[in-house]
Amino acid sequence: MLPKPVIKLNVQNETSRLRSVVLGTAESNGPIPKIEECYDPKSIEHIKSGTYPEEDAMVEEINAVQKVFKKYDVKVYRPQVIENCNQIFSRDIAFVIDDIMIEANILPHREEEVHAIDYIWNQIAEDKRIILPEDCHVEGGDVMPWNDYIFMGTYTGKDYSDLITARTNIQAVNAIQELFPKKKVKCFELRKSNTNPRENALHLDCCFNPLGKGKAIIHKNGFLVESEYEWLVNFFGKENIFEITKDEMYEMYSNVFSISEDVIISERNFTRLNNWLRQQGFTVEEVPYAEIGKQEGLLRCTTLPLFRD
């Protein structure tokens, strides 16, 4: 018998040269959800105003990202298409730290999405696959490996269970720290709202993103605890930080995606950010992603890196 092919994993940070990635799919995305089926306030807003994104537009947007990956010779895996299922946000369903893939415990009715990448999971060495205990809630948008650190977004308020927007609990933070004892897990309390997308940091990558060249994007109001926001500003240095406004956070300015230390995929309408990135010496690959952004997720949310140099 031929040996089973093994997918190699390596993610130490957010910016090393990307070699392989899982890119979400908008195919067979299903009908416009009912308001009670939504799990973020921005989608609800667009359903109410009749501007919820159409499948064709979202397929086109994701194809634009696939073209960029092809240009940079990145191997792209896609989830198996499940009929009438939103599978755009591959970052939610699993994440890689070092050479370990951790399956996310996401909202129960999104279980199907996880199984759509079983064919990838099954090609990873068994001792490199981890499923966290059931009481650990975590999604990949809240988890950022950053060399010796793992940055994590969380919410520990008593109303955690009432907030559909609270996705990562302290049990998950503790479990990740136990799994990676040599790293420092630094967690940040995020501002949550079921009803106001401008007051809601769904995940850490909705209000913060570390970039190459020691730079970072941040939105102060996304953090519930000012000293935690200040810790990040001091860590990167005020002069290296691009501060975004409430409206820019709403448009998902922080949710760009690094292919390498100096190449970033960004939404083509993010003029202020893209100009700044170019001034800092980055190559900016602009793509249309505004329709996908209506579901409170953008470029980082739709990508699950498997291997970076």
Side-chain angles (χ1 to χ4, degrees):
M1 248 171 83
L2 289 169
K4 201 161 69 171
V6 173
I7 292 175
K8 294 266 188 287
L9 304 173
N10 183 51
V11 177
Q12 306 288 333
N13 57 46
E14 294 288 311
T15 57
S16 292
R17 177 65 162 92
L18 183 71
R19 299 296 174 188
S20 61
V21 68
V22 181
L23 175 63
T25 179
E27 281 178 49
S28 192
N29 199 56
I32 293 173
K34 296 185 180 80
I35 284 170
E36 60 272 17
E37 292 169 344
C38 288
Y39 24 78
D40 71 275
K42 198 170 174 186
S43 290
I44 292 168
E45 190 180 271
H46 283 287
I47 290 167
K48 284 179 175 172
S49 65
T51 52
Y52 193 78
E54 291 181 6
E55 186 179 303
D56 290 356
M58 295 190 292
V59 168
E60 216 168 285
E61 289 183 345
I62 290 179
N63 286 345
V65 173
Q66 183 150 12
K67 278 183 192 141
V68 177
F69 286 144
K70 194 174 178 186
K71 176 180 172 181
Y72 287 92
D73 201 26
V74 174
K75 181 166 176 56
V76 177
Y77 296 88
R78 307 299 295 274
Q80 289 172 328
V81 176
I82 301 164
E83 221 167 293
N84 293 322
C85 179
N86 185 337
Q87 296 177 268
I88 292 168
F89 300 117
S90 58
R91 181 76 64 160
D92 289 351
I93 57 181
F95 51 91
V96 175
I97 301 174
D98 291 352
D99 60 351
I100 304 240
M101 182 180 262
I102 296 159
E103 189 180 283
N105 285 346
I106 62 174
L107 298 165
H109 55 287
R110 295 183 65 189
E111 198 61 38
E112 268 190 305
E113 285 178 66
V114 179
H115 294 306
I117 61 164
D118 278 353
Y119 81 98
I120 297 168
W121 180 259
N122 294 333
Q123 290 181 72
I124 293 162
E126 274 187 50
D127 61 341
K128 301 296 181 188
R129 308 187 308 216
I130 285 180
I131 298 174
L132 295 173
E134 222 169 285
D135 66 335
C136 298
H137 303 169
V138 61
E139 291 183 354
D142 275 326
V143 183
M144 291 183 185
W146 194 248
N147 306 313
D148 296 337
Y149 284 89
I150 301 168
F151 299 143
M152 288 186 72
T154 188
Y155 183 77
T156 60
K158 286 194 175 74
D159 54 349
Y160 177 94
S161 58
D162 301 327
L163 289 163
I164 50 166
T165 51
R167 303 294 174 80
T168 297
N169 63 12
I170 201 70
Q171 289 90 324
V173 172
N174 295 336
I176 298 285
Q177 182 64 83
E178 277 175 36
L179 278 174
F180 300 95
K182 291 185 174 149
K183 292 188 186 277
K184 300 180 202 92
V185 173
K186 180 79 184 158
C187 67
F188 303 91
E189 291 275 339
L190 302 180
R191 190 174 301 283
K192 302 290 179 182
S193 170
N194 281 351
T195 53
N196 184 350
R198 283 174 173 79
E199 291 289 334
N200 178 50
L202 192 62
H203 293 123
L204 181 59
D205 61 15
C206 296
C207 60
F208 164 70
N209 205 341
L211 309 171
K213 306 177 189 288
K215 310 291 178 189
I217 304 168
I218 202 162
H219 176 61
K220 184 178 183 179
N221 192 54
F223 296 83
L224 268 182
V225 182
E226 193 163 334
S227 61
E228 293 177 359
Y229 155 82
E230 279 163 2
W231 187 94
L232 277 171
V233 172
N234 292 333
F235 184 85
F236 286 90
K238 203 163 181 53
E239 69 287 356
N240 294 313
I241 279 184
F242 186 83
E243 287 267 0
I244 59 175
T245 65
K246 197 174 280 198
D247 283 342
E248 288 170 339
M249 185 197 91
Y250 171 81
E251 298 295 346
M252 308 294 300
Y253 266 53
S254 65
N255 208 271
V256 297
F257 182 73
S258 295
I259 287 184
S260 69
E261 275 284 308
D262 46 18
V263 178
I264 292 171
I265 310 180
S266 180
E267 215 288 326
R268 65 184 177 188
N269 295 307
F270 293 173
T271 312
R272 192 172 83 87
L273 171 66
N274 296 343
N275 288 343
W276 180 83
L277 289 171
R278 290 188 176 106
Q279 284 161 13
Q280 307 305 313
F282 290 100
T283 298
V284 182
E285 295 285 352
E286 293 189 3
V287 294
Y289 236 54
E291 291 304 301
I292 283 170
K294 290 176 177 179
Q295 296 182 64
E296 212 159 339
L298 210 74
L299 290 148
R300 191 179 184 272
C301 299
T302 59
T303 49
L304 159 54
L306 299 175
F307 198 100
R308 292 184 182 271
D309 287 350

